Amino acid sequence: MIKAGIIGGAGYTAGELIRILLNHPDAEIDFVYSTSQPGKAVSTIHQDLAGETDLKFTDAINKEADVVFLCLGHGNSKKFLSENQFSDNTKIVDLSTDFRMSGDHEFVYGLPEFNKKEIQSAKNIANPGCFATAISLAILPLAKTGKLKDDWHVNAVTGATGAGTSLSETTHFTWRDNNFSSYKSFGHQHLNEIGQSLKKLQPSYEGEVNFIPNRGNFSRGIHATAYTKYEGSLEEASEIYSEVYKDAVFTHLVDGELHLKQVVNTNKCLLKLEKFDNKILVTSIIDNLLKGASGQAVQNMNIMFGFEESAGLKLKANYF
Amino acid sequence: MIKAGIIGGAGYTAGELIRILLNHPDAEIDFVYSTSQPGKAVSTIHQDLAGETDLKFTDAINKEADVVFLCLGHGNSKKFLSENQFSDNTKIVDLSTDFRMSGDHEFVYGLPEFNKKEIQSAKNIANPGCFATAISLAILPLAKTGKLKDDWHVNAVTGATGAGTSLSETTHFTWRDNNFSSYKSFGHQHLNEIGQSLKKLQPSYEGEVNFIPNRGNFSRGIHATAYTKYEGSLEEASEIYSEVYKDAVFTHLVDGELHLKQVVNTNKCLLKLEKFDNKILVTSIIDNLLKGASGQAVQNMNIMFGFEESAGLKLKANYF
Amino acid sequence: MIKAGIIGGAGYTAGELIRILLNHPDAEIDFVYSTSQPGKAVSTIHQDLAGETDLKFTDAINKEADVVFLCLGHGNSKKFLSENQFSDNTKIVDLSTDFRMSGDHEFVYGLPEFNKKEIQSAKNIANPGCFATAISLAILPLAKTGKLKDDWHVNAVTGATGAGTSLSETTHFTWRDNNFSSYKSFGHQHLNEIGQSLKKLQPSYEGEVNFIPNRGNFSRGIHATAYTKYEGSLEEASEIYSEVYKDAVFTHLVDGELHLKQVVNTNKCLLKLEKFDNKILVTSIIDNLLKGASGQAVQNMNIMFGFEESAGLKLKANYF
Amino acid sequence: MIKAGIIGGAGYTAGELIRILLNHPDAEIDFVYSTSQPGKAVSTIHQDLAGETDLKFTDAINKEADVVFLCLGHGNSKKFLSENQFSDNTKIVDLSTDFRMSGDHEFVYGLPEFNKKEIQSAKNIANPGCFATAISLAILPLAKTGKLKDDWHVNAVTGATGAGTSLSETTHFTWRDNNFSSYKSFGHQHLNEIGQSLKKLQPSYEGEVNFIPNRGNFSRGIHATAYTKYEGSLEEASEIYSEVYKDAVFTHLVDGELHLKQVVNTNKCLLKLEKFDNKILVTSIIDNLLKGASGQAVQNMNIMFGFEESAGLKLKANYF
């Protein structure tokens, strides 16, 4: 049993980590750090845990924890690590954007379908963004085989948990219920990490990823469609994707219809390929809080520590 | 054309008043008073009005307006009227709780189905609460005929607009979506005005109104069920309700199934009567922002000024 | 008062027509034809009408009606008109796809923003499709000025009423609630009428309209984003759109944020323009049952009969 | 590993059983019987299972299975068992109403909180109804201590999965979305099993359970409020409930606010006690498909076979 710490314990991704780790066969929660709630029972904030745990938030950190998850706002992970030191053996999984772009740091980009080997030996992980995960898993296989030539056109919709726990107009129920809207068109911050992965896999690629994000009136999940010009056949594309994901535990190609609730409350990514004239369309669905955040964080932990990759992540879909 | 002023123009009920009055055949909006938004276009807050009006919020009040609607938080209407004076001819319609209980003031309780005559000659109106409207219309007919003997058991569910525009945990989309909860059991503030109406109609009645309010995961509407012991037949009860509501423009007894969306975005109250052994069950549905607030406020205005009672209120249901 | 007949009275679009026409100042409902429900009160099917009308479905048709709305399944309008004859003065508004493509018939495509003159003198109207309306109003202004050069990339989401009243898996609540999915990618039937309008306005245009439709978990409304390469400035584009829509009663350009509920339960189309590098993005929102069907049908009737264009269509938005 | 069979595999409860049993440490799915889908992959119907299992529906039954779950429509379990025989060692868990009332059969009513000993030695289990579970867990503790004197007033709301997979008007998305309605007032079929449990625990009790069920616009879950006259203190009541549920694995008393999503996608029942004058109010929440059906069925299996009671049921809440 390894000991896990969670920093920033009151948000959505911390809650999901706690839910997963409480039932993990190889890890146990050592501490949940929250400067705003120290001493309070974790189940007063994550109220579904009533009856399941006596865990309390703490403002004390165990520097000897085996793994520490940073569930802090973007920009705050760097700051936190500059102010707090962990033992040399402590592995860090950061869920913010702070270390996703390569640079002067030791963090490996934690997209297991493409970086598994580096993750196995990583000390620290930069956990991918939610949109970045859904879109990267949709478009990277063609880059891996050097097949990309043209721009991608991506449209994706996310649930309200994507906006975090703070109250805002666009997460007010009376606004969001039965509503739909787009935002940050062509400028979403996750385009950086997607572009970095594309360049790494196919350095010659000069196309653009045109991405329009949308706010859906549901709480969990991302549904993304991505199309580009592609000269090969559907069969050829299917072979490429099947090959790329043949050992993937959570990412699968499906033949039938795709709809978001197939993956809600699971760590899966389901993909569907279609060909229309000279275009290939890839549809990709994930749960933004699991495969798009805390689930993938635990998957990365499992890989780093040599546990079964799906340990603690055999989650029952909500489905309805 | 009478001139109408709206005080507290940024909230839900003010928005609904503006929507109604913009198309009212006999009234026009003279000013929308808002201390927080003066100079701003009304359509920047009530964004569905884009393309329909150039109206701006103002912090100046026209003391000669024919009618003024107070859309202020509970407790603030009294304060506002003590600090601002209107002409002797100005009629006030207050949407808060401040003047609903009889006392040392000139406000008539504005439930047209029971107080029409007093409303016709009223100077000021205390507009009923939303739950109070739905429940009163369900239970008062039996009190009017002196038939009540036993306690009422009332359960009602309201949409998120019932909680007002301020952001709170229970109106956060991620909390409210697909959720359900009860609150203020046996202690909701609207019980006072309901009790007052019961006593006025059947002074001998000593029963209790046991009321559990609930938060539903929808934005608009109230669905209430109310039952009590009743010895008469269903036919007798139907005759009583039909007689009481025979001239009601918006309140109707129906035979078929009742479901909330029949009245959403209308000023109607639909009622259904059923008899089970020695109990009578009355189901009542309204739109909390219309018959439960701004629609009824305009209905009261229409009655006070001698307009057609449904003027401006022939609203198309949303239904879906 | 003209007399209006409705054929196929039990569906969503017929229900909306009835709701609108019951309060129309210049038209009255003469008959609602339904072979499945003759003799039944209209309010047993369109249950929000309880207390508002005693209208009954009939299987008899008045051949002398001034206007007849066909609310039949696609393919059935042609069949119905071949089996039923109306007077020479009767104007037909067909809501199906049957007459939208030019051909050997007398139907004018009823998109008032572009075809008003032809509509004024039309005998019969082919009412545009819902997606076609939202998308055409977004993209046609650039075609009108001959500015289009490149492909359009369109993504739109529709509510469950778009799928009609028949029960199906994807309109089952347990499936659709909190779900999202795409369908008919690159092959939606409305592309035909959009293409026809583009060609008519800019015959030289050879680009494609790449369109991915989606099913949203709401009941009403269409939200569409459309982008293409465009060399002009945002100001230039704004001038073009403003000029094209300067006399439009229901179609408006807005500056602020757009979100679907601004138009739900209204006959409006709101448009927003944005420029990103060499791309112009147009966001367009309508209510699929109103501007996308029955509202536009009444708008066309108003134009044909010389009524105020907004008669009966000054609808209060639901907004919440 | 015991071998489990599922009869009637295409419905909601069968889907939930499959989801649970796929990850159960002590049981494996031997067959999923479906006369309508033999040979088809289970994941074509329960589409969230894509990538998780190759299981196929079959029309062949293994008579030697250790446990068989009957997920058949009410009335069909009796018929099925009269036409199909299992080995003497096969235990049956029936999810229908067929064997819930005591009679000429060998089924034990499977409410573990009250019947654990009988379940341990049972051959067959009649799994309780969903409303019956939520309400029984709320009201039975007072009966167990002989404290009940007066009528119960119960109001509960259920999600759309409670109505089963068949398409119907009230589960059509356009009807149910943002809607609310009551049905079967005072006459729901689950009152029988609730009454039977009350009589068994407090034979002297003559009160009525007045129960109004409601349809909520969500997919999963039951929220129930139940109140009755009660002379004791809140502390006394809390002690009674705590004592009754002290060994319960899934049923817990909580102090804070209760809201439905605390239990959705879990096997838990959370209860809250409040006292108002002479009334005690008990609020009870469960997931209708888990603690109200398939989760409790597996809990009963665990108890019968001597497994850890929570085996396979440590489910991550969906929560959002």
Side-chain angles (χ1 to χ4, degrees), chain A residues 141-305:
Chain A
L142 291 186
K144 195 171 179 186
T145 48
K147 299 276 186 186
L148 288 184
K149 293 189 176 154
D150 211 80
D151 294 346
W152 279 100
H153 302 279
V154 182
N155 194 292
V157 54
T158 185
T161 51
T165 50
S166 52
L167 304 172
S168 68
E169 192 201 350
T170 57
T171 55
H172 200 178
F173 184 82
T174 61
W175 189 94
R176 188 104 176 200
D177 178 39
N178 275 6
N179 210 352
F180 197 87
S181 58
S182 51
Y183 69 107
K184 291 189 186 175
S185 299
F186 303 103
H188 196 280
Q189 63 272 16
H190 290 179
L191 286 168
N192 294 328
E193 49 188 291
I194 296 168
Q196 173 178 266
S197 298
L198 279 170
K199 271 287 177 196
K200 187 176 159 195
L201 291 168
Q202 184 180 338
S204 67
Y205 180 59
E206 297 289 347
E208 280 182 80
V209 177
N210 296 296
F211 171 33
I212 299 182
N214 299 278
R215 298 179 192 99
N217 63 316
F218 46 85
S219 290
R220 276 179 178 266
I222 287 178
H223 177 281
T225 51
Y227 63 90
T228 189
K229 284 190 184 141
Y230 178 70
E231 285 162 16
S233 66
L234 181 60
E235 289 64 37
E236 187 201 72
S238 295
E239 276 169 36
I240 291 170
Y241 279 73
S242 298
E243 177 63 22
V244 169
Y245 294 130
K246 70 173 190 293
D247 297 325
V249 180
F250 295 110
T251 299
H252 309 288
L253 221 55
V254 300
D255 288 328
E257 292 288 316
L258 267 203
H259 53 99
L260 183 57
K261 290 205 294 191
Q262 287 174 274
V263 297
V264 168
N265 211 28
T266 80
N267 197 47
K268 294 198 287 189
C269 173
L270 294 181
L271 297 167
K272 183 183 172 66
L273 300 181
E274 292 167 282
K275 188 88 199 295
F276 299 95
D277 294 335
N278 61 344
K279 288 179 289 282
I280 188 164
L281 169 66
V282 192
T283 307
S284 170
I285 53 175
I286 64 166
D287 184 311
N288 60 309
L289 292 178
L290 292 169
K291 185 61 179 167
S294 306
Q296 189 150 260
V298 172
Q299 186 182 357
N300 280 316
M301 177 192 84
N302 289 342
I303 296 171
M304 287 195 290
F305 285 89

Side-chain angles (χ1 to χ4, degrees), chain C residues 8-287:
Chain C
Y12 292 146
T13 54
E16 292 290 279
L17 276 170
I18 296 168
R19 286 174 194 104
I20 294 168
L21 293 176
L22 279 177
N23 290 314
H24 197 287
D26 305 309
E28 64 187 6
I29 299 174
D30 190 54
F31 65 89
V32 184
Y33 178 81
S34 168
T35 51
S36 60
Q37 317 280 348
K40 241 179 162 171
V42 160
S43 64
T44 57
I45 300 294
H46 308 296
Q47 297 176 358
D48 59 297
L49 296 176
E52 291 186 50
T53 178
D54 296 327
L55 209 56
K56 286 188 169 55
F57 293 110
T58 174
D59 55 5
I61 286 172
N62 174 7
K63 292 168 190 305
E64 304 295 326
D66 297 296
V67 61
V68 170
F69 295 92
L70 305 184
C71 299
L72 298 166
H74 302 310
N76 291 335
S77 292
K78 259 188 189 151
K79 186 155 171 284
F80 179 83
L81 290 178
S82 74
E83 294 169 1
N84 294 272
Q85 284 237 314
F86 291 94
S87 85
D88 285 355
N89 295 322
T90 303
K91 291 174 184 292
I92 306 287
V93 180
D94 178 34
L95 282 81
S96 83
T97 59
D98 289 11
F99 300 99
R100 291 184 196 153
M101 299 307 287
S102 299
D104 188 19
H105 60 68
E106 284 192 316
F107 286 73
V108 167
Y109 189 65
L111 191 63
E113 286 78 358
F114 291 88
N115 296 344
K116 198 159 181 177
K117 274 203 184 143
E118 292 155 276
I119 296 168
Q120 282 167 335
S121 58
K123 181 168 177 334
N124 297 332
I125 295 289
N127 209 55
C130 51
F131 275 129
T133 298
I135 296 168
S136 297
L137 293 173
I139 72 177
L140 292 186
L142 290 186
K144 195 172 178 184
T145 48
K147 298 278 186 185
L148 289 184
K149 292 188 179 156
D150 211 80
D151 294 347
W152 280 99
H153 301 280
V154 182
N155 194 291
V157 55
T158 186
T161 52
T165 50
S166 51
L167 305 172
S168 67
E169 192 200 348
T170 57
T171 55
H172 201 178
F173 184 82
T174 60
W175 189 94
R176 188 105 178 197
D177 180 39
N178 275 7
N179 210 352
F180 197 85
S181 58
S182 52
Y183 68 108
K184 292 188 186 176
S185 299
F186 303 102
H188 195 279
Q189 62 273 18
H190 290 180
L191 286 169
N192 294 329
E193 49 189 289
I194 296 168
Q196 174 178 267
S197 297
L198 280 170
K199 271 288 177 194
K200 188 176 158 194
L201 291 167
Q202 184 180 340
S204 67
Y205 180 58
E206 298 288 345
E208 280 183 80
V209 177
N210 297 298
F211 171 34
I212 298 182
N214 298 279
R215 299 179 192 97
N217 63 316
F218 45 84
S219 290
R220 276 179 179 266
I222 286 177
H223 177 282
T225 51
Y227 62 90
T228 189
K229 282 190 185 140
Y230 177 70
E231 286 162 14
S233 67
L234 181 59
E235 290 64 36
E236 187 200 73
S238 296
E239 275 170 37
I240 291 170
Y241 278 74
S242 296
E243 176 63 23
V244 168
Y245 295 129
K246 70 174 189 294
D247 297 325
V249 180
F250 295 108
T251 299
H252 309 288
L253 223 55
V254 301
D255 288 328
E257 292 289 314
L258 266 203
H259 52 99
L260 182 58
K261 290 205 292 190
Q262 287 174 276
V263 298
V264 168
N265 211 28
T266 79
N267 197 47
K268 293 199 288 190
C269 174
L270 294 182
L271 297 167
K272 182 180 172 69
L273 300 180
E274 292 168 282
K275 189 88 199 295
F276 300 95
D277 295 334
N278 62 344
K279 288 179 290 283
I280 188 163
L281 170 66
V282 193
T283 308
S284 170
I285 53 174
I286 65 166
D287 185 312

